[in-house]
Amino acid sequence: MRWNWWLLAVTLGALAVAVVLAVYALRIPARTPTQPPATFRSWQVTLCYPDLKASRLVRFSLTIAATSEERVVEELVGRLKAPETPDLSPALPSETRLLSVRREGNVLVLDLNDAFVNPEFWQGSDVAHLRLQALVHTLCSLPNTHAIRLLVNGQVPEALGGHEEVSEPIQPDPTL
Amino acid sequence: MPTANRSANCSNNPSHRQRQVLSLLTFPSPVCQFLWRKEGAKVRMAILALCLFVSAFGHTQSEAPVPTRLLVLDKTFNLPILWLPDEPYAPVGDWLTALKIRWVAQGSGLALKLPYQTAFLWTTTSAKVIVNGREMEVAPLLRRGEDWWLPLVSLARLLRLLAVVNPEKRMVKLAALLQSVAVKQVALGWQVSLTFSYRLPTPPKVGTLREPDRVYADFVGAALQDITLPSLPDGSPLSKMRLGQFSNEPLILRFVAETTSPLQISVVGSEIGDEGDERWHLLLFSSEQREQWLGQIRLQENISTRAIFRFWGRFEEKPTVRYEGTTLSILLPSAPLLPLDNASFTDEGLVREARVEGQGTAARLVVTLLKPAQAHWEKREQGVELVIETPFVRPRRVRLIVVDAGHGGKDPGAMSPSQPSLLEKHLTLDIAFRLKRLLEQGGYQVLLTRTDDTYLPLPDRVAIANNAGADAFVSIHLNAFPQPGGQWGTEVYYWTLQSLPLAESIYRHLLTLLGRKGNGIRQRQLYVIRHTFMPSVLVEPCYLNHPEEEALLRQEWFRERIALAIFWGIAEFFGDLPTLQKQGE
């Protein structure tokens, strides 16, 4: 009988230790030794949209907290597709997806999906120009970015809507 | 260095003749005894005077230059040459440019600059010169009055040229020597490389011959010497190779390869060695091969108003040229097999910098110019030439207007919402044809960028205008707005300030004749008006997706009015409107 009490006490003790260890393990986040902790950084950018009359660019200052430049570009592409106010025109077709981003010196290279070249979106010389320049002005507000090179599925696309040549890196139009 | 055919000519040797006369006067002989006899003293004195005259005359003649033919690589010069006992001397002059040698007088000598080598000094006093750190023995220069005279055999030795001196025919030849031949297999076929001791004046001329099948290459300015031809590799379509001196005047060395099957031959390009030697590469490939390739790009002329790039290779179509201010970007079919040859680069030339960027089909030649210029292609026997000239080199009496019908082919442009749909590409072409007719009736020359429903990239439209040296460029479009019906009216776009008056005159006439709302003249970096050199505008007379304007565009008279308004705008810009109005009356 006395032996049974001893067995019960040991079992309860082991259980208590297991519970303590489990709680401790849950409270400490898992870390992979090879991956440094992701740190957020603040990025000051200027977000640009064409106005509804397609006569000028409207600018907004914006701070984005992100872990990398790629994440910032993703965020900007998302915002350019859908302006927050109805008096602005989108700078990118709504189905556009960013496939990848890389740098070639001061040139930011964006690889986008097919939806980007939707001809209906790029109709009208001035509308097409303002929309493309909204994208270029926005991305060129990133540090050390002087021009944007655009690819579609890794290939150089033809002129957007027959108006905007994009085979070379595009710089901001200073008149806008 | 071999100096063939050189032989002494006693009749022109002054010392020899003087010795003859001296021997007559001083040594006892039957002739002397005859001279010293008392009888016939007058006759003897006359003979003596004659001998002295001949002696003196002969001396003078030997020091005088003699008309001589001087063959320098591919050029022939008739020059007075001093035939001195050691070697012939030629007066420094234009013939040196055939060797691409520049010179300047410096103290008691000349500073000579050889191609690909540093300058060196050659004096009248020293029998040695130092070229590229190496001391070489030469005959000293001669100075007579203001003229400098170069010893030709010494010059040939310095330049590693062959000197053929023929005093009897009064001829001197300077030729590049063939040094070696090599054959190797490359991705495109078989490459034959011939190395010469000096840069040849022109690229080789190549061709094919039949029965038996063979290919040949002629090298002008080159001479043959005994060399060992390489053995032919296994699997090679070449059955035999041979070399021969095809012509002696001009000097032409011919390379011939017999082949087991019909082959094509093409020049790939050349490379220059440190010693100034030149290696020419030839490509032998199957007659059925249609693959595009680029051998080498050579800047072969570069002066302040004109530059020429030579492209060797096989092209299906001429490479596209894109303009960005003073920078030209030429899209290449592939990266060149050999490095860019910049030998003609000078600080004073139109081309300031040229470099090849990218690989494969993304390769391009980027050329930085001193000032904006127009480029056009010229077909050559092998490959093409890109000729870049500053504007207005070619005067034209009739003004040339390039009319660009927007969109086309797979790019329809804007589309009207009502059925049957109107396509922008069809309307712009219709208006362009109308404008062409009006302009031609007004005495202008007109070039349309497209005449049918085909797709034409924007850089090609720009290239047509720039290459033609147009006086004005008008791109015709019809507008569209994201929300159909949301916008209407007329807009005209320009980029450069020289284009603003043209934009203003066309805009004014469009508003007058069409009566639509004026949305303004806008300065925009649109591709076709940004990259054209001449006054250029892009017109958007009205909106295709506005119901009222769409209905107007369906009317022929309205499209005619658009064309008429643009025509009047152009005529006003050039100051021709009053004349045309008088003609109309």
PDB file of all heavy atoms in Angstrom, chain B residues 403-411 424-430 432-433 436 448-456 461:
ATOM      1  N   VAL B 403       4.100  60.967 -92.353  1.00  0.00           N
ATOM      2  CA  VAL B 403       2.769  60.852 -91.726  1.00  0.00           C
ATOM      3  C   VAL B 403       2.659  59.448 -91.131  1.00  0.00           C
ATOM      4  O   VAL B 403       2.837  58.451 -91.836  1.00  0.00           O
ATOM      5  CB  VAL B 403       1.654  61.103 -92.766  1.00  0.00           C
ATOM      6  CG1 VAL B 403       0.283  60.926 -92.125  1.00  0.00           C
ATOM      7  CG2 VAL B 403       1.789  62.506 -93.356  1.00  0.00           C
ATOM      8  N   ASP B 404       2.391  59.413 -89.847  1.00  0.00           N
ATOM      9  CA  ASP B 404       2.356  58.141 -89.118  1.00  0.00           C
ATOM     10  C   ASP B 404       0.912  57.821 -88.731  1.00  0.00           C
ATOM     11  O   ASP B 404       0.320  58.531 -87.897  1.00  0.00           O
ATOM     12  CB  ASP B 404       3.249  58.269 -87.873  1.00  0.00           C
ATOM     13  CG  ASP B 404       3.142  57.065 -86.965  1.00  0.00           C
ATOM     14  OD1 ASP B 404       3.144  55.939 -87.492  1.00  0.00           O
ATOM     15  OD2 ASP B 404       3.061  57.249 -85.727  1.00  0.00           O
ATOM     16  N   ALA B 405       0.356  56.784 -89.350  1.00  0.00           N
ATOM     17  CA  ALA B 405      -0.985  56.326 -88.967  1.00  0.00           C
ATOM     18  C   ALA B 405      -0.828  55.443 -87.729  1.00  0.00           C
ATOM     19  O   ALA B 405      -0.205  54.381 -87.787  1.00  0.00           O
ATOM     20  CB  ALA B 405      -1.614  55.543 -90.108  1.00  0.00           C
ATOM     21  N   GLY B 406      -1.393  55.876 -86.603  1.00  0.00           N
ATOM     22  CA  GLY B 406      -1.211  55.159 -85.340  1.00  0.00           C
ATOM     23  C   GLY B 406      -1.765  53.734 -85.376  1.00  0.00           C
ATOM     24  O   GLY B 406      -2.689  53.429 -86.133  1.00  0.00           O
ATOM     25  N   HIS B 407      -1.116  52.870 -84.557  1.00  0.00           N
ATOM     26  CA  HIS B 407      -1.554  51.473 -84.395  1.00  0.00           C
ATOM     27  C   HIS B 407      -1.461  50.698 -85.722  1.00  0.00           C
ATOM     28  O   HIS B 407      -0.764  51.117 -86.624  1.00  0.00           O
ATOM     29  CB  HIS B 407      -2.965  51.418 -83.792  1.00  0.00           C
ATOM     30  CG  HIS B 407      -3.076  52.249 -82.552  1.00  0.00           C
ATOM     31  ND1 HIS B 407      -2.658  51.806 -81.334  1.00  0.00           N
ATOM     32  CD2 HIS B 407      -3.508  53.530 -82.355  1.00  0.00           C
ATOM     33  CE1 HIS B 407      -2.853  52.765 -80.425  1.00  0.00           C
ATOM     34  NE2 HIS B 407      -3.354  53.823 -81.024  1.00  0.00           N
ATOM     35  N   GLY B 408      -2.168  49.575 -85.822  1.00  0.00           N
ATOM     36  CA  GLY B 408      -2.130  48.758 -87.041  1.00  0.00           C
ATOM     37  C   GLY B 408      -1.894  47.297 -86.722  1.00  0.00           C
ATOM     38  O   GLY B 408      -1.275  46.954 -85.707  1.00  0.00           O
ATOM     39  N   GLY B 409      -2.398  46.433 -87.598  1.00  0.00           N
ATOM     40  CA  GLY B 409      -2.193  44.993 -87.442  1.00  0.00           C
ATOM     41  C   GLY B 409      -2.785  44.478 -86.147  1.00  0.00           C
ATOM     42  O   GLY B 409      -3.953  44.729 -85.827  1.00  0.00           O
ATOM     43  N   LYS B 410      -1.956  43.787 -85.357  1.00  0.00           N
ATOM     44  CA  LYS B 410      -2.446  43.182 -84.115  1.00  0.00           C
ATOM     45  C   LYS B 410      -2.789  44.215 -83.042  1.00  0.00           C
ATOM     46  O   LYS B 410      -3.396  43.876 -82.027  1.00  0.00           O
ATOM     47  CB  LYS B 410      -1.405  42.203 -83.582  1.00  0.00           C
ATOM     48  CG  LYS B 410      -0.099  42.871 -83.189  1.00  0.00           C
ATOM     49  CD  LYS B 410       0.916  41.840 -82.776  1.00  0.00           C
ATOM     50  CE  LYS B 410       2.246  42.505 -82.451  1.00  0.00           C
ATOM     51  NZ  LYS B 410       3.293  41.546 -82.158  1.00  0.00           N
ATOM     52  N   ASP B 411      -2.376  45.466 -83.262  1.00  0.00           N
ATOM     53  CA  ASP B 411      -2.686  46.532 -82.318  1.00  0.00           C
ATOM     54  C   ASP B 411      -3.805  47.393 -82.893  1.00  0.00           C
ATOM     55  O   ASP B 411      -3.559  48.262 -83.718  1.00  0.00           O
ATOM     56  CB  ASP B 411      -1.411  47.358 -82.071  1.00  0.00           C
ATOM     57  CG  ASP B 411      -1.700  48.657 -81.343  1.00  0.00           C
ATOM     58  OD1 ASP B 411      -2.738  48.732 -80.656  1.00  0.00           O
ATOM     59  OD2 ASP B 411      -0.880  49.590 -81.467  1.00  0.00           O
ATOM     60  N   GLU B 424      -9.609  52.214 -84.229  1.00  0.00           N
ATOM     61  CA  GLU B 424      -8.712  53.367 -84.382  1.00  0.00           C
ATOM     62  C   GLU B 424      -7.705  53.148 -85.515  1.00  0.00           C
ATOM     63  O   GLU B 424      -7.424  54.053 -86.288  1.00  0.00           O
ATOM     64  CB  GLU B 424      -7.976  53.616 -83.054  1.00  0.00           C
ATOM     65  CG  GLU B 424      -7.117  54.871 -83.080  1.00  0.00           C
ATOM     66  CD  GLU B 424      -6.317  55.077 -81.796  1.00  0.00           C
ATOM     67  OE1 GLU B 424      -6.479  54.270 -80.861  1.00  0.00           O
ATOM     68  OE2 GLU B 424      -5.513  56.024 -81.755  1.00  0.00           O
ATOM     69  N   LYS B 425      -7.188  51.921 -85.640  1.00  0.00           N
ATOM     70  CA  LYS B 425      -6.149  51.644 -86.638  1.00  0.00           C
ATOM     71  C   LYS B 425      -6.638  51.909 -88.060  1.00  0.00           C
ATOM     72  O   LYS B 425      -5.872  52.355 -88.909  1.00  0.00           O
ATOM     73  CB  LYS B 425      -5.637  50.209 -86.508  1.00  0.00           C
ATOM     74  CG  LYS B 425      -6.645  49.125 -86.815  1.00  0.00           C
ATOM     75  CD  LYS B 425      -5.998  47.746 -86.778  1.00  0.00           C
ATOM     76  CE  LYS B 425      -6.996  46.659 -87.138  1.00  0.00           C
ATOM     77  NZ  LYS B 425      -6.384  45.335 -87.215  1.00  0.00           N
ATOM     78  N   HIS B 426      -7.941  51.623 -88.329  1.00  0.00           N
ATOM     79  CA  HIS B 426      -8.485  51.842 -89.671  1.00  0.00           C
ATOM     80  C   HIS B 426      -8.708  53.321 -89.939  1.00  0.00           C
ATOM     81  O   HIS B 426      -8.416  53.819 -91.026  1.00  0.00           O
ATOM     82  CB  HIS B 426      -9.807  51.081 -89.843  1.00  0.00           C
ATOM     83  CG  HIS B 426      -9.611  49.586 -89.827  1.00  0.00           C
ATOM     84  ND1 HIS B 426     -10.558  48.714 -89.345  1.00  0.00           N
ATOM     85  CD2 HIS B 426      -8.561  48.818 -90.211  1.00  0.00           C
ATOM     86  CE1 HIS B 426     -10.105  47.475 -89.449  1.00  0.00           C
ATOM     87  NE2 HIS B 426      -8.892  47.514 -89.964  1.00  0.00           N
ATOM     88  N   LEU B 427      -9.200  54.019 -88.926  1.00  0.00           N
ATOM     89  CA  LEU B 427      -9.483  55.447 -89.105  1.00  0.00           C
ATOM     90  C   LEU B 427      -8.198  56.250 -89.284  1.00  0.00           C
ATOM     91  O   LEU B 427      -8.139  57.164 -90.106  1.00  0.00           O
ATOM     92  CB  LEU B 427     -10.268  55.969 -87.895  1.00  0.00           C
ATOM     93  CG  LEU B 427     -11.668  55.375 -87.713  1.00  0.00           C
ATOM     94  CD1 LEU B 427     -12.273  55.824 -86.396  1.00  0.00           C
ATOM     95  CD2 LEU B 427     -12.576  55.788 -88.866  1.00  0.00           C
ATOM     96  N   THR B 428      -7.168  55.905 -88.508  1.00  0.00           N
ATOM     97  CA  THR B 428      -5.910  56.667 -88.627  1.00  0.00           C
ATOM     98  C   THR B 428      -5.304  56.464 -90.012  1.00  0.00           C
ATOM     99  O   THR B 428      -4.751  57.400 -90.597  1.00  0.00           O
ATOM    100  CB  THR B 428      -4.896  56.251 -87.543  1.00  0.00           C
ATOM    101  OG1 THR B 428      -4.680  54.838 -87.631  1.00  0.00           O
ATOM    102  CG2 THR B 428      -5.365  56.604 -86.148  1.00  0.00           C
ATOM    103  N   LEU B 429      -5.413  55.255 -90.547  1.00  0.00           N
ATOM    104  CA  LEU B 429      -4.855  55.006 -91.885  1.00  0.00           C
ATOM    105  C   LEU B 429      -5.656  55.766 -92.945  1.00  0.00           C
ATOM    106  O   LEU B 429      -5.078  56.347 -93.874  1.00  0.00           O
ATOM    107  CB  LEU B 429      -4.865  53.502 -92.181  1.00  0.00           C
ATOM    108  CG  LEU B 429      -4.142  53.077 -93.462  1.00  0.00           C
ATOM    109  CD1 LEU B 429      -2.668  53.459 -93.413  1.00  0.00           C
ATOM    110  CD2 LEU B 429      -4.267  51.572 -93.695  1.00  0.00           C
ATOM    111  N   ASP B 430      -6.965  55.810 -92.762  1.00  0.00           N
ATOM    112  CA  ASP B 430      -7.826  56.548 -93.697  1.00  0.00           C
ATOM    113  C   ASP B 430      -7.443  58.036 -93.696  1.00  0.00           C
ATOM    114  O   ASP B 430      -7.269  58.649 -94.750  1.00  0.00           O
ATOM    115  CB  ASP B 430      -9.292  56.361 -93.269  1.00  0.00           C
ATOM    116  CG  ASP B 430     -10.238  57.166 -94.130  1.00  0.00           C
ATOM    117  OD1 ASP B 430     -10.644  56.647 -95.172  1.00  0.00           O
ATOM    118  OD2 ASP B 430     -10.541  58.331 -93.768  1.00  0.00           O
ATOM    119  N   ALA B 432      -4.626  59.307 -92.730  1.00  0.00           N
ATOM    120  CA  ALA B 432      -3.242  59.449 -93.226  1.00  0.00           C
ATOM    121  C   ALA B 432      -3.225  59.500 -94.755  1.00  0.00           C
ATOM    122  O   ALA B 432      -2.499  60.314 -95.341  1.00  0.00           O
ATOM    123  CB  ALA B 432      -2.387  58.287 -92.722  1.00  0.00           C
ATOM    124  N   PHE B 433      -4.010  58.643 -95.391  1.00  0.00           N
ATOM    125  CA  PHE B 433      -4.065  58.661 -96.865  1.00  0.00           C
ATOM    126  C   PHE B 433      -4.625  59.997 -97.372  1.00  0.00           C
ATOM    127  O   PHE B 433      -4.156  60.549 -98.361  1.00  0.00           O
ATOM    128  CB  PHE B 433      -4.919  57.497 -97.387  1.00  0.00           C
ATOM    129  CG  PHE B 433      -4.145  56.204 -97.500  1.00  0.00           C
ATOM    130  CD1 PHE B 433      -4.586  55.057 -96.879  1.00  0.00           C
ATOM    131  CD2 PHE B 433      -2.971  56.147 -98.252  1.00  0.00           C
ATOM    132  CE1 PHE B 433      -3.880  53.862 -96.985  1.00  0.00           C
ATOM    133  CE2 PHE B 433      -2.263  54.956 -98.366  1.00  0.00           C
ATOM    134  CZ  PHE B 433      -2.711  53.810 -97.727  1.00  0.00           C
ATOM    135  N   LYS B 436      -1.983  62.593 -96.977  1.00  0.00           N
ATOM    136  CA  LYS B 436      -0.932  62.398 -97.994  1.00  0.00           C
ATOM    137  C   LYS B 436      -1.360  63.056 -99.320  1.00  0.00           C
ATOM    138  O   LYS B 436      -0.570  63.775 -99.937  1.00  0.00           O
ATOM    139  CB  LYS B 436      -0.684  60.901 -98.192  1.00  0.00           C
ATOM    140  CG  LYS B 436       0.369  60.570 -99.237  1.00  0.00           C
ATOM    141  CD  LYS B 436       0.580  59.057 -99.305  1.00  0.00           C
ATOM    142  CE  LYS B 436       1.740  58.665-100.197  1.00  0.00           C
ATOM    143  NZ  LYS B 436       1.483  58.809-101.612  1.00  0.00           N
ATOM    144  N   LEU B 448       4.584  57.657 -95.762  1.00  0.00           N
ATOM    145  CA  LEU B 448       3.724  57.071 -94.739  1.00  0.00           C
ATOM    146  C   LEU B 448       4.498  55.983 -94.007  1.00  0.00           C
ATOM    147  O   LEU B 448       5.194  55.184 -94.642  1.00  0.00           O
ATOM    148  CB  LEU B 448       2.470  56.455 -95.374  1.00  0.00           C
ATOM    149  CG  LEU B 448       1.496  57.395 -96.082  1.00  0.00           C
ATOM    150  CD1 LEU B 448       0.310  56.605 -96.624  1.00  0.00           C
ATOM    151  CD2 LEU B 448       0.999  58.493 -95.162  1.00  0.00           C
ATOM    152  N   THR B 449       4.361  55.936 -92.696  1.00  0.00           N
ATOM    153  CA  THR B 449       5.070  54.888 -91.948  1.00  0.00           C
ATOM    154  C   THR B 449       4.453  53.518 -92.221  1.00  0.00           C
ATOM    155  O   THR B 449       5.126  52.502 -92.166  1.00  0.00           O
ATOM    156  CB  THR B 449       5.043  55.160 -90.434  1.00  0.00           C
ATOM    157  OG1 THR B 449       3.684  55.324 -90.038  1.00  0.00           O
ATOM    158  CG2 THR B 449       5.855  56.390 -90.078  1.00  0.00           C
ATOM    159  N   ARG B 450       3.130  53.500 -92.483  1.00  0.00           N
ATOM    160  CA  ARG B 450       2.501  52.245 -92.911  1.00  0.00           C
ATOM    161  C   ARG B 450       1.429  52.576 -93.943  1.00  0.00           C
ATOM    162  O   ARG B 450       0.794  53.640 -93.871  1.00  0.00           O
ATOM    163  CB  ARG B 450       1.924  51.462 -91.729  1.00  0.00           C
ATOM    164  CG  ARG B 450       0.730  52.082 -91.048  1.00  0.00           C
ATOM    165  CD  ARG B 450       0.253  51.198 -89.910  1.00  0.00           C
ATOM    166  NE  ARG B 450      -0.852  51.795 -89.191  1.00  0.00           N
ATOM    167  CZ  ARG B 450      -2.139  51.526 -89.421  1.00  0.00           C
ATOM    168  NH1 ARG B 450      -2.473  50.673 -90.370  1.00  0.00           N
ATOM    169  NH2 ARG B 450      -3.087  52.106 -88.720  1.00  0.00           N
ATOM    170  N   THR B 451       1.250  51.656 -94.879  1.00  0.00           N
ATOM    171  CA  THR B 451       0.268  51.890 -95.937  1.00  0.00           C
ATOM    172  C   THR B 451      -0.818  50.821 -95.920  1.00  0.00           C
ATOM    173  O   THR B 451      -1.687  50.798 -96.777  1.00  0.00           O
ATOM    174  CB  THR B 451       0.951  51.891 -97.313  1.00  0.00           C
ATOM    175  OG1 THR B 451       1.677  50.673 -97.439  1.00  0.00           O
ATOM    176  CG2 THR B 451       1.884  53.063 -97.479  1.00  0.00           C
ATOM    177  N   ASP B 452      -0.727  49.901 -94.983  1.00  0.00           N
ATOM    178  CA  ASP B 452      -1.779  48.890 -94.870  1.00  0.00           C
ATOM    179  C   ASP B 452      -1.941  48.502 -93.399  1.00  0.00           C
ATOM    180  O   ASP B 452      -1.317  49.101 -92.520  1.00  0.00           O
ATOM    181  CB  ASP B 452      -1.449  47.658 -95.727  1.00  0.00           C
ATOM    182  CG  ASP B 452      -0.077  47.116 -95.425  1.00  0.00           C
ATOM    183  OD1 ASP B 452       0.470  47.459 -94.347  1.00  0.00           O
ATOM    184  OD2 ASP B 452       0.473  46.362 -96.240  1.00  0.00           O
ATOM    185  N   ASP B 453      -2.738  47.500 -93.166  1.00  0.00           N
ATOM    186  CA  ASP B 453      -3.077  47.120 -91.794  1.00  0.00           C
ATOM    187  C   ASP B 453      -1.993  46.205 -91.211  1.00  0.00           C
ATOM    188  O   ASP B 453      -2.213  45.015 -91.007  1.00  0.00           O
ATOM    189  CB  ASP B 453      -4.442  46.418 -91.791  1.00  0.00           C
ATOM    190  CG  ASP B 453      -4.916  46.119 -90.381  1.00  0.00           C
ATOM    191  OD1 ASP B 453      -4.384  46.736 -89.443  1.00  0.00           O
ATOM    192  OD2 ASP B 453      -5.805  45.261 -90.218  1.00  0.00           O
ATOM    193  N   THR B 454      -0.812  46.785 -90.985  1.00  0.00           N
ATOM    194  CA  THR B 454       0.283  45.994 -90.403  1.00  0.00           C
ATOM    195  C   THR B 454       0.753  46.640 -89.107  1.00  0.00           C
ATOM    196  O   THR B 454       0.627  47.851 -88.920  1.00  0.00           O
ATOM    197  CB  THR B 454       1.486  45.905 -91.355  1.00  0.00           C
ATOM    198  OG1 THR B 454       1.806  47.215 -91.796  1.00  0.00           O
ATOM    199  CG2 THR B 454       1.202  45.023 -92.543  1.00  0.00           C
ATOM    200  N   TYR B 455       1.301  45.784 -88.262  1.00  0.00           N
ATOM    201  CA  TYR B 455       1.827  46.275 -86.984  1.00  0.00           C
ATOM    202  C   TYR B 455       3.236  46.803 -87.196  1.00  0.00           C
ATOM    203  O   TYR B 455       4.072  46.141 -87.812  1.00  0.00           O
ATOM    204  CB  TYR B 455       1.847  45.137 -85.959  1.00  0.00           C
ATOM    205  CG  TYR B 455       2.462  45.550 -84.644  1.00  0.00           C
ATOM    206  CD1 TYR B 455       1.756  46.357 -83.760  1.00  0.00           C
ATOM    207  CD2 TYR B 455       3.751  45.154 -84.308  1.00  0.00           C
ATOM    208  CE1 TYR B 455       2.314  46.756 -82.561  1.00  0.00           C
ATOM    209  CE2 TYR B 455       4.315  45.548 -83.110  1.00  0.00           C
ATOM    210  CZ  TYR B 455       3.591  46.347 -82.240  1.00  0.00           C
ATOM    211  OH  TYR B 455       4.152  46.743 -81.065  1.00  0.00           O
ATOM    212  N   LEU B 456       3.494  47.972 -86.696  1.00  0.00           N
ATOM    213  CA  LEU B 456       4.823  48.577 -86.828  1.00  0.00           C
ATOM    214  C   LEU B 456       5.249  49.077 -85.443  1.00  0.00           C
ATOM    215  O   LEU B 456       4.576  49.930 -84.864  1.00  0.00           O
ATOM    216  CB  LEU B 456       4.740  49.748 -87.815  1.00  0.00           C
ATOM    217  CG  LEU B 456       6.031  50.300 -88.369  1.00  0.00           C
ATOM    218  CD1 LEU B 456       6.722  49.270 -89.256  1.00  0.00           C
ATOM    219  CD2 LEU B 456       5.751  51.558 -89.182  1.00  0.00           C
ATOM    220  N   ARG B 461       8.840  53.348 -86.468  1.00  0.00           N
ATOM    221  CA  ARG B 461       8.182  54.551 -86.986  1.00  0.00           C
ATOM    222  C   ARG B 461       9.131  55.744 -86.856  1.00  0.00           C
ATOM    223  O   ARG B 461       9.266  56.554 -87.776  1.00  0.00           O
ATOM    224  CB  ARG B 461       6.886  54.831 -86.207  1.00  0.00           C
ATOM    225  CG  ARG B 461       5.847  53.732 -86.367  1.00  0.00           C
ATOM    226  CD  ARG B 461       4.671  53.922 -85.415  1.00  0.00           C
ATOM    227  NE  ARG B 461       3.851  52.719 -85.356  1.00  0.00           N
ATOM    228  CZ  ARG B 461       2.665  52.573 -85.941  1.00  0.00           C
ATOM    229  NH1 ARG B 461       2.146  53.563 -86.615  1.00  0.00           N
ATOM    230  NH2 ARG B 461       1.988  51.449 -85.833  1.00  0.00           N
TER     231      ARG B 461
END
